Amino acid sequence: MGGDNSMSDKVPMTLAGKVKLEAELKNLMQNERPSVIKAIEEARSNGDLSENADYDAAKERQAFCEARIADIQGKLANAEVFDTANMSSEKVIFGATVKLLDLDADENIVYQIVGE
C-alpha cells in the first residue's frame, strides 16, 4: 500500500459504525470461525485433499474470515469515534446528517456522512 499512510493513522467512525463493526467481529469470532474450522475438519475426513472441492472452499472461507477479523480489529484499534448525537454544524462534515429534497419525486432523502 503506497503513500505516506502508516498503521497509526486514525480511522474516523461514528459511534453507530463502531457498534456495527463490534457486532460483526463478535459474529465472525464466535460463529463463523468455529463453523469454518468444523467445515475444514469434515472436508479433511473425506480423503484426498488435492481434489477436494469442499476443503478448498472451506480454506478460502477461512482465509476471508481471518482477513476480515484482522481488518476489523485494526480499524477498531485505530478508531477515532465521533458521537454524532452531540454534533451541530452548518457545514457538511464527518458524521453530519444531511437532508435533501428530491425535486423530481418531491420527497426528502437523508444521508449521513460516514467513513468506509
Side-chain angles (χ1 to χ4, degrees):
M1 306 200 195
D4 294 328
N5 293 339
S6 68
M7 291 303 288
S8 64
D9 288 345
K10 291 292 183 191
V11 178
M13 68 179 65
T14 63
L15 189 56
K18 182 181 182 216
V19 168
K20 186 176 178 183
L21 278 179
E22 288 171 338
E24 182 181 353
L25 181 61
K26 182 178 180 181
N27 179 58
L28 285 167
M29 294 180 82
Q30 293 181 354
N31 299 320
E32 190 68 20
R33 183 185 268 168
S35 171
V36 169
I37 291 170
K38 185 176 181 183
I40 290 171
E41 289 171 355
E42 288 174 4
R44 277 188 180 147
S45 70
N46 292 337
D48 184 11
L49 297 181
S50 64
E51 296 180 18
N52 189 329
D54 290 337
Y55 179 77
D56 291 341
K59 289 299 282 183
E60 283 181 28
R61 193 168 138 214
Q62 181 185 38
F64 173 81
C65 180
E66 294 303 323
R68 185 66 183 145
I69 287 171
D71 181 47
I72 293 172
Q73 286 175 330
K75 285 178 180 174
L76 291 174
N78 293 315
E80 184 174 356
V81 180
F82 294 86
D83 185 355
T84 56
N86 299 322
M87 292 178 70
S88 174
S89 175
E90 294 298 314
K91 296 179 181 177
V92 177
I93 59 173
F94 179 84
T97 299
V98 181
K99 290 183 184 176
L100 303 174
L101 174 61
D102 182 337
L103 295 175
D104 294 330
D106 193 32
E107 65 183 13
N108 285 321
I109 303 168
V110 179
Y111 293 97
Q112 184 176 30
I113 310 303
V114 299
E116 61 177 293

